[in-house]
Each structure stands twice: as C-alpha cells, then as structure tokens.
Amino acid sequence: KAGVTQTPRYLIKTRGQQVTLSCSPISGHRSVSWYQQTPGQGLQFLFEYFSETQRNKGNFPGRFSGRQFSNSRSEMNVSTLELGDSALYLCASSPSDREGSEQYFGPGTRLTVT
Amino acid sequence: GNSVTQMEGPVTLSEEAFLTINCTYTATGYPSLFWYVQYPGEGLQLLLKATKADDKGSNKGFEATYRKETTSFHLEKGSVQVSDSAVYFCALPGGSYIPTFGRGTSLIVHP
C-alpha cells in the first residue's frame, strides 16, 4: 500500500505570495492532519480534516487554511507569506477519527520564503 | 491543555550503549501515548505506542511503559546502533484535543 505523498517536496516563494501544498493520504484513510515543523517551535499542529470537515484547528493565524476533498486528498494554503512561514510542512493520515488513532506521515514539503 | 515534555538533546552515545529518553505528559484522562521517530530528510514514523496504564509498547528493540502514577512514558533501548541515529518524539494523540508532540530529542550514535 502506498504511503502518504506530498507535493511538491520543495518550494521557494517570496514574501507576500501565497502557496498551496497538496497531500494524498494512504488509501482508505479519511483523516488528514497538517503540521508545521521548525527548529525553533518544533512540531506544531495546524488542522485536521475528516470526511471533508475540519475537526480540529491549532493556534495559527487565518492566513493558514485547508480543505479536504471527497477522495480524502487535502490541500493547505498559506496566503501573504512571511519569512517566518519557512518550515517543513508535514501531512499525516489516519485510518479513523477514533480517539488515539496513530498517524502516518508523509515526507513533507520544505517551504522557503525569501 | 495537554502538554508533552521530553529531555533536551542531542543525546550522544557509543554503539551498544543503553538509551533512555525521558518523556512526561499532562493530559485530561488517560490518553494513548506514542513515540515517533524521524530519520533525516523523512517524515515521522510511529515507533511504538501504549493505550492504557501499565501497557508496555515495544518495537525494534525499543520499549516504553505507560506510567500513570508518574505521568511518564520514557523510551529505552538496551543496545543502540548507528542506524538508530534520528530524532525521537513523544506524543499525545488527537481526538477530543489537538495532537501534542514533544520538542524532539536528537540521538547521535557513534561507531
């Protein structure tokens, strides 16, 4: 079974631009979560989607948004990019929304904002 | 809210040494507990988990026991290898609360 895939793997953008990242979960997984990983803040939860509905949201500004499609694929969007948005963005899928379900992570998208 | 505290790294060991990475947590109720591992250039992989108090999770020679009384879930391995060099994360899962990860502990194993 194929793992979680994320595209693109690397991205360079300029301040003020917007960016869309894509995630394809493991087949059959309906829950998709997004995380931001930086050396300073560690791994921080952005949001989780289950069956096209946002189930949980972390403490990030409204510039960060996401959505999930009927095939469980998910995208996240960051508008008006700032230098501090440079990070590794990780997507994780889970087979259910049951409490305590383990997550399967993709390799991440490395975003650099200049 | 929930929180996870794990020891600062890097932890530097020689091959075949004993490893302990401490993890304590604050949570409502008795959630499952996880250890994830991240190898360079990759995403996180689930290493082991425990779903209730006194459970011991184990995988690839790593072990961790869910201690409710000390709210801890320390990771141990009896004999580390160079290939174990990675960053290890202790985590509380999502569900009613957002998933919470520790800051990560970098392990460097020298031959």
Side-chain angles (χ1 to χ4, degrees), chain A residues 13-114:
Chain A
K13 289 286 189 178
T14 304
R15 257 183 314 176
Q17 288 186 314
Q18 74 164 17
V19 66
T20 299
L21 311 182
S22 181
C23 171
S24 292
I26 291 172
S27 177
H29 286 196
R30 295 165 62 192
S31 170
V32 174
S33 297
W34 288 90
Y35 295 85
Q36 182 194 66
Q37 186 177 27
T38 60
Q41 298 298 320
L43 197 64
Q44 294 192 292
F45 173 79
L46 280 155
F47 27 67
E48 179 197 2
Y49 287 88
F50 182 82
S51 294
E52 302 180 66
T53 300
Q54 189 180 87
R55 218 164 72 97
N56 267 319
K57 188 177 190 309
N59 189 25
F60 278 82
R63 299 186 297 109
F64 292 82
S65 62
R67 59 178 176 168
Q68 186 180 33
F69 302 96
S70 58
N71 62 358
S72 293
R73 192 177 69 85
S74 178
E75 290 181 346
M76 68 162 281
N77 184 276
V78 188
S79 62
T80 320
L81 284 165
E82 301 177 359
L83 294 179
D85 296 334
S86 295
L88 180 67
Y89 290 88
L90 293 165
C91 168
S93 73
S94 184
S96 81
D97 64 341
R98 183 173 48 85
E99 192 98 12
S101 275
E102 61 202 57
Q103 295 185 310
Y104 298 80
F105 284 79
T109 293
R110 173 75 62 187
L111 172 64
T112 302
V113 182
T114 62

Side-chain angles (χ1 to χ4, degrees), chain B residues 5-7 19-25 33 35 48 57 62-67 70-77 90:
Chain B
T5 302
Q6 61 181 104
M7 59 191 291
L19 168 71
T20 300
I21 300 177
N22 291 337
C23 169
T24 56
Y25 66 91
L33 295 167
W35 276 101
L48 54 83
F62 291 89
E63 294 183 338
T65 301
Y66 189 151
R67 302 284 188 202
T70 55
T71 61
S72 65
F73 193 52
H74 305 322
L75 182 68
E76 297 182 333
K77 187 175 186 183
C90 184

